[in-house]
Amino acid sequence: MDLEQTRFNMVAQQIRTWYVLDDNVLDLLYKVKREEFVPAENRAAAFVDMEISLGYGQVMLTPKMEARILQELHVQKTDKILEVGSGSGYMTALLADRGAHVYSVEIIPELKAMAENNLKAHNITNVTVEQGDAARGWSKHEPYDVIVLTASTPVLPAAFQNSLNPGGRLFAIVGEDPVMEALLITCVAPGEFTTTQLFETSTAALVNAQQPARFSF
């Protein structure tokens, strides 16, 4: 398999056709080698339009989803970023290349170790990987310029948008099967937010994600 040809095909056929046209984002997908962040047993699927199992009920998002998230967030070199769910560290690496510093929080110890090892192997130093439950917010380093939830949440806790700097952006996939929406929430002024509905999708929920109130009779 010609890796670079396969990578080119991924970008041309999956990512560009999904409205990801930002050259800076596309160039980054050639620079950060996705296959090196995929568990060895699934490496053959690194460029396929599918989620990849990381074990522990967690997945890597599809390549086009990762690229679209980056494009929509317009990450700047001065941005302080919160990532909820480190996974394999691939999205973390993409964010770290674009931003100033990434605080990545992972609840599963084995995935935290995987992410740290992958980031270290690629000499990515502007990342702090922390173990903890950030499904309902992570105030430790707030305020943030960018927040990314890498798994879905049935209800989006207000703590996330309240952790944004003015001008800050939050990406989250909100809802339950069969209807989940990818949202971009922007803090336009202290306590004021706009929400853009990006697309419908479906993916696994964060561990301990906030649940909607259930009525019982």
Side-chain angles (χ1 to χ4, degrees):
M1 181 173 67
D2 182 338
L3 275 180
E4 294 313 312
Q5 182 62 47
T6 308
R7 194 184 325 278
F8 174 85
N9 293 345
M10 174 188 74
V11 172
Q13 297 168 12
Q14 296 174 40
I15 293 169
R16 291 184 66 91
T17 58
W18 214 48
Y19 311 108
V20 180
L21 303 174
D22 183 329
D23 285 336
N24 291 323
V25 171
L26 298 175
D27 290 347
L28 188 54
L29 302 179
Y30 291 103
K31 175 181 174 184
V32 182
K33 309 299 186 186
R34 191 174 198 269
E35 70 277 9
E36 296 173 5
F37 289 81
V38 174
E41 64 271 19
N42 293 323
R43 200 151 287 171
F47 305 113
V48 178
D49 183 16
M50 61 179 282
E51 293 182 339
I52 294 175
S53 173
L54 298 173
Y56 315 99
Q58 303 305 301
V59 297
M60 283 181 77
L61 296 171
T62 64
K64 67 185 182 187
M65 178 83 79
E66 294 160 338
R68 184 74 180 271
I69 292 170
L70 269 187
Q71 175 174 272
E72 298 291 349
L73 286 169
H74 297 288
V75 181
Q76 307 296 313
K77 278 296 184 186
T78 54
D79 284 345
K80 179 167 69 171
I81 301 167
L82 171 66
E83 178 189 40
V84 180
S86 311
S88 72
Y90 178 66
M91 191 74 200
T92 323
L94 298 177
L95 292 165
D97 188 277
R98 302 297 302 274
H101 196 91
V102 181
Y103 294 95
S104 186
V105 186
E106 175 55 61
I107 194 170
I108 298 167
E110 292 85 353
L111 294 184
K112 174 181 181 283
M114 180 193 298
E116 286 182 312
N117 290 338
N118 285 336
L119 293 163
K120 184 177 180 180
H122 290 80
N123 299 310
I124 297 168
T125 57
N126 60 326
V127 173
T128 303
V129 184
E130 300 177 301
Q131 187 178 340
D133 182 355
R136 303 190 184 202
W138 194 255
S139 61
K140 190 172 178 181
H141 309 289
E142 67 179 23
Y144 305 100
D145 302 298
V146 169
I147 300 176
V148 183
L149 277 58
T150 64
S152 65
T153 182
V155 176
L156 182 63
F160 286 115
Q161 61 191 49
N162 292 333
S163 291
L164 289 173
N165 270 319
R169 290 86 65 208
L170 161 65
F171 175 87
I173 297 168
V174 181
E176 298 178 281
D177 275 331
V179 181
M180 298 183 192
E181 279 198 308
L183 305 178
L184 179 70
I185 297 170
T186 303
C187 179
V188 293
E192 293 184 32
F193 306 91
T194 61
T195 300
T196 303
Q197 297 172 327
L198 299 174
F199 50 85
E200 291 187 355
T201 187
S202 180
T203 192
L206 291 165
V207 176
N208 296 335
Q210 185 170 327
Q211 301 296 315
R214 310 287 185 187
F215 292 101
S216 56
F217 299 94

